[in-house]
Every structure is written in structure tokens, then in C-alpha cells.
Amino acid sequence: MRVTMIGTGYVGLVTGACFADFGHDVVCVDRDAGKIAMLQDGRIPIFEPGLPDMVASNVRQGRLSFTTETASAVREADAVFIAVGTESSGGRDGKADLSAVRAATREVAAAIEGFTVIVAKSTVPVGACDEIERMVRDLRPDADFAVASNPEFLREGAAIRDFKLPDRIVIGAEDERARQVLVDLYRPLYLNAAPFLHTSRRTAELIKYAANAFLATKISFINEIADLCERVGADVQQVARGIGLDNRIGSKFLHAGPGFGGSCLPKDTLALTAMGQEHASPLRIVEAVVAVNDQRKRAMARKVAQALGGDVGGRRIAILGLTFKPNTDDIREASALVLIRALQDMGAHLQVFDPVGMDNARPVLGDSVVYCQNAYACAQDADALVIVTEWEQFRALDLDRLRRAMRQPLLVDLRNIYRPDDATRHGFVHIGVGKGGSPASSV
Ligand code: NAD
């Protein structure tokens, strides 16, 4: 089948490459000419494990190409996926900004020829597919088309695996022809026995938000339990294990830490609360999740300050990890950025290291921080070392070497990747998250 992706970002590029890998002919479109030039030149604009090889092999075999020309890419397509960004509109209500979706819809409407399925891959509020349909009908009363919802659940860092071995595929379509096109596109996954869920468009749209809100709820829940653990002398990792082994609860997304970030959970929880307000059906739990998470990111700076005796003015603080999670270069809404700014406001000097996120962080942080070559350089002369992102390479650092590099042996481990007793044995004061059992002392 002939597939066009509008938007060649984290979702559009991965999805496009994976569809090409299934044997479909895929054209990825982006209005960012620099991104398309890179891809045409064989370079990959994002960090995603496995993606460079998959893109290269499908380009070589003539099934995957890149362009800035929407019209020519859409004309021949059987299915056009809209995979553009839907960030928060910036207003106080947190609604999703659909301007990129609307712009893409107008461009697609102008170009379609023959029966075409327009698929909303972007995360869009309930009713957005109805709006896309109305827009196309108004702009092109002659067009033969149908609109479907096919939300994406892939996780950055494991995106290819998630696409090829998904927990489920949700197809929201009222039109039987549209449903059939999507079934044909995903046929290779049927053979893998991946669960397919056929729903109405509105249900599909809501499934995506409800899923992200639920995941965010688990995170905020365990983070509040972590705070309680610190007060009452309990260990949040053991509490999480104790509840996670109950398979009605499950162990995933129960890792206490510095709050959730990324390009999805923060904006999707906000957009869902806005939807609730708009439809007079408030989502109080999700509203609390958002508030808890916002407070948490700022509270982490106070935690670091407290570990340093309350005053970080003039202190040197090393930050390990800038991306919102490991195995991605995505720093959108990353907890590290909030932490860094808050510590700077308190007068601290920051030195930072991330294995792949530095290039994206530079335009955001500018020259307000010192960028380091590796974890040990980052620790040099620091009064505290703060682990913010649990990259594999931070899990087995040479603690003696780190301690020797630092001015003070203080490890603030916001991901609980070190055992307190291990760190202590190597001469560190270890401050974890929700580790009420291991008393925090200040230096
Ligand atoms: P992104 O910002 O990485 O990519 C979006 C791309 O769309 C950009 O390259 C932009 O230049 C391009 N674009 C915008 N308007 C365009 C137009 N009219 N024509 C052509 N290109 C255009 O965003 P993303 O992270 O890939 O997210 C895309 C959507 O998928 C969002 O709705 C997001 O919520 C959803 N989603 C993201 C993830 C994730 O992990 N990133 C996972 C599931 C769902």
C-alpha cells in the first residue's frame, strides 16, 4: 500500500520506517526543510535505537523517501497519516493546540485524489477526527475520503519494538473502507497475534488520553507514597514491589522519582483535564496528578538544597541526565530542566552531562551551565552529584573515582539506582527518593 506520513518527528519517522519495513511504500513529509535534507542525506535527526539501520535499509530498497512537498506525496497515497505535534496551546486551560493538525488537514485536503483514508496518528482531543472530516468536506466537496483515528502508543527509546510488538492497536473508524485499509496496513501484526481493538473514532481518541493519564497517575501516586516513606521511615522501592506484585496493580510505572516529563504525559494530562472541563465532566484525579507533578519537579530542587544544608548559593552541583528518560535525546518537559533552573535561581553553579541530550539542551540552557564530556568530568569539584535520568551508563559508575573528583561526597540519587549501603561503603552520603529507612543526613 502507499502510505504518506505528514510530520516526520519521533512518531512520524518511526511509524513511517516501520510501515516501510512491513513492505509498504512510504513517503515521509515534513515542513522542516532542514530535517528532510538530513534524512535525504542519510542522517537521522533524532536518537532512537535501531532507527538508523531500519531507515537506511528501507531507503536502499526504495520503499522509504522524504520530501517537503505535501501535495505530490498525498496524491498517490492510499492512507495519509497526520503525525504532527499537538502540544499544549499555552493557554491556562491546557488545551491541545490543533493548529498544526488543521494546517496539515488543509494541505492534505487540497491534494487527495481517489479514495484516501486520512488517519489521525497525532494525539488529538475527542471530536478532532470529526473536525478533520468537516474541514476536508468543506474544502473538497468532490473528494472521496474517510477519516480514522489510530492513536500511537510507542515509547521513545523502545519505539521500534513497541511498534512491531504492540500491546494493542486501536483502530477508530466508522467507515468500513477506512477500517479495511488500516487492517491491510497492519496485517503483518495480525500475523503476530497483536490485539486489535476496533472502536468508534471518539472512543479511540479517548483511549489514548485515558491511557496516558492512567500511567501519569501511577507515577504521581508512587511519588506521593515516596514522600510519606521519607516521613515514616519506610522504603518506597519495597512498597512498590509489594503492591506491584499484585497483578491487579502491576509493577510498571511505580518507580518514584523526580516527576514525569516528556512530550506526552504532561501535555496529555493537561489536555484531558481541559476536555473534562469543557464537557462539564471534571477529572479531579487527573487534575491532582498534574498539580502533584508540577510541585514535585520544583520540590526536587529543595531536596538537593536541603541535602546541602539549605543554602546552595555559590555551590557547584553536577547533574547527570538531561533527557526526560533514558535512550532518547528528547528533553521536552524534562524534570532536569526545571531542577537546573530552580537551583540556578537559588544561586548554584551547574555542570551537566547527558550521553545524548546535550545538543538539544544547549539551545535551552545556553551558557548558563558547564557542559561536561562524561560523568567523571561532571563530578569534578562538585559539592553534590544529582542523578536525574537513569541512563544505563550511570548505573555502574566507579564510585571511588567519582568521590575523589568531588569536593564533597554527596550523591542525590533521584532514580534510586544505587543501593544506599553501597554508596555509603564508598564514602558517599546517599540521598535517594522515598528511602525513609536510610536516614538522610546533610553535609
Ligand atoms: P515531533 O515534534 O517530534 O514531530 C512533529 C513533526 O511534524 C515536526 O517535525 C514538524 O516539523 C512536523 N509538522 C508540523 N506541521 C506540519 C505540516 N503541516 N506538514 C508537515 N510537517 C509538519 O512530534 P512527535 O513527538 O512525533 O509527536 C507527534 C504526535 O504524536 C503528537 O500528537 C504526540 O502527542 C503523539 N505521540 C507522541 C509520542 C512520542 O513518544 N513522541 C508517542 C505517542 C504519540
Side-chain angles (χ1 to χ4, degrees):
M1 300 192 87
R2 288 159 304 183
V3 178
T4 295
M5 304 296 311
I6 310 290
T8 307
Y10 287 87
V11 167
L13 182 55
V14 169
T15 310
C18 288
F19 275 140
D21 217 48
F22 287 168
H24 301 302
D25 290 318
V26 180
V27 185
C28 289
V29 183
D30 207 286
R31 63 178 174 193
D32 180 340
K35 196 177 268 191
I36 293 300
M38 269 182 92
L39 287 159
Q40 287 172 335
D41 201 30
R43 289 173 294 139
I44 306 295
I46 56 169
F47 177 85
E48 181 60 50
L51 190 59
D53 286 348
M54 183 182 279
V55 168
S57 99
N58 284 284
V59 167
R60 215 170 29 245
Q61 293 171 60
R63 287 194 300 265
L64 180 62
S65 62
F66 305 98
T67 182
T68 54
E69 302 291 326
T70 307
S72 57
V74 165
R75 216 169 285 134
E76 303 283 301
D78 301 303
V80 177
F81 285 77
I82 297 180
V84 300
T86 49
E87 36 285 301
S88 287
S89 57
R92 280 162 52 107
D93 58 10
K95 275 187 180 171
D97 179 358
L98 291 182
S99 58
V101 171
R102 293 188 184 111
T105 301
R106 279 189 286 275
E107 291 161 33
V108 171
I112 48 179
E113 276 179 19
F115 178 65
T116 311
V117 184
I118 302 169
V119 188
K121 188 55 126 173
S122 299
T123 303
V124 288
V126 175
C129 283
D130 298 351
E131 185 185 341
I132 292 172
E133 184 172 299
R134 272 195 308 274
M135 282 179 70
V136 179
R137 185 156 294 136
D138 287 350
L139 291 162
R140 283 284 307 278
D142 62 306
D144 187 15
F145 74 99
V147 177
S149 166
N150 173 223
E152 185 49 62
F153 299 95
L154 60 75
R155 295 163 301 169
E156 290 173 19
I160 291 176
R161 190 204 163 276
D162 284 350
F163 193 89
K164 293 205 160 179
L165 287 172
D167 289 338
R168 77 303 209 184
I169 292 146
V170 174
I171 296 177
E174 270 85 11
D175 182 290
E176 182 49 34
R177 287 184 303 170
R179 209 175 66 80
Q180 197 51 53
V181 166
L182 282 161
V183 165
D184 288 345
L185 271 175
Y186 282 108
R187 190 168 303 286
L189 295 181
Y190 271 100
L191 302 177
N192 293 352
F196 278 70
L197 200 59
H198 292 279
T199 70
S200 72
R201 289 193 310 218
R202 285 179 170 247
T203 301
E205 289 166 335
L206 191 52
I207 285 172
K208 174 65 193 177
Y209 281 104
N212 272 357
F214 197 84
L215 294 173
T217 302
K218 284 187 95 174
I219 296 174
S220 277
F221 175 82
I222 202 67
N223 282 339
E224 285 202 314
I225 294 289
D227 287 347
L228 183 60
C229 284
E230 289 178 11
R231 297 284 166 141
V232 301
D235 181 333
V236 74
Q237 285 178 296
Q238 290 181 2
V239 173
R241 184 162 159 75
I243 62 175
L245 285 170
D246 181 331
N247 52 34
R248 291 169 303 176
I249 297 173
S251 58
K252 296 195 173 142
F253 274 66
L254 284 181
H255 301 286
F260 57 80
S263 66
C264 291
L265 296 193
K267 80 166 172 58
D268 292 348
T269 44
L270 266 182
L272 184 58
T273 60
M275 235 183 293
Q277 294 292 344
E278 196 177 337
H279 295 282
S281 182
L283 294 151
R284 300 280 184 238
I285 293 172
V286 188
E287 285 169 11
V289 166
V290 171
V292 165
N293 195 58
D294 286 349
Q295 285 160 17
R296 182 150 197 95
K297 287 183 178 175
R298 290 192 294 274
M300 292 300 106
R302 291 195 295 277
K303 186 180 179 80
V304 174
Q306 215 175 3
L308 278 163
D311 182 9
V312 297
R315 299 289 198 111
R316 232 177 240 267
I317 300 173
I319 302 287
L320 291 188
L322 299 171
T323 55
F324 83 95
K325 66 173 180 179
N327 283 325
T328 179
D329 59 350
D330 199 343
I331 59 158
R332 290 179 281 186
E333 304 283 331
S335 298
L337 302 181
V338 179
L339 174 67
I340 288 168
R341 289 206 189 91
L343 290 172
Q344 286 174 330
D345 288 345
M346 295 176 191
H349 302 298
L350 278 296
Q351 38 205 46
V352 305
F353 171 68
D354 188 281
V356 303
M358 306 276 263
D359 287 347
N360 284 341
R362 272 196 186 87
V364 178
L365 296 172
D367 54 13
S368 70
V369 301
V370 175
Y371 299 93
C372 303
Q373 292 292 322
N374 55 48
Y376 301 101
C378 191
Q380 194 62 45
D381 296 326
D383 295 298
L385 181 75
V386 187
I387 298 176
V388 189
T389 315
E390 67 279 32
W391 283 94
E392 285 290 339
Q393 63 171 262
F394 297 158
R395 288 174 186 267
L397 292 167
D398 179 340
L399 292 180
D400 290 328
R401 186 173 163 200
L402 273 185
R403 195 196 62 245
R404 284 195 301 273
M406 292 175 67
R407 199 145 62 189
Q408 293 198 119
L410 173 62
L411 179 60
V412 184
D413 180 2
L414 298 182
R415 299 290 181 173
N416 288 336
I417 60 178
Y418 284 93
R419 289 170 53 110
D421 51 348
D422 259 356
T424 310
R425 210 175 35 251
H426 288 277
F428 273 97
V429 172
H430 177 273
I431 313 278
V433 172
K435 294 295 207 177
S438 49
S441 56
S442 63
V443 281

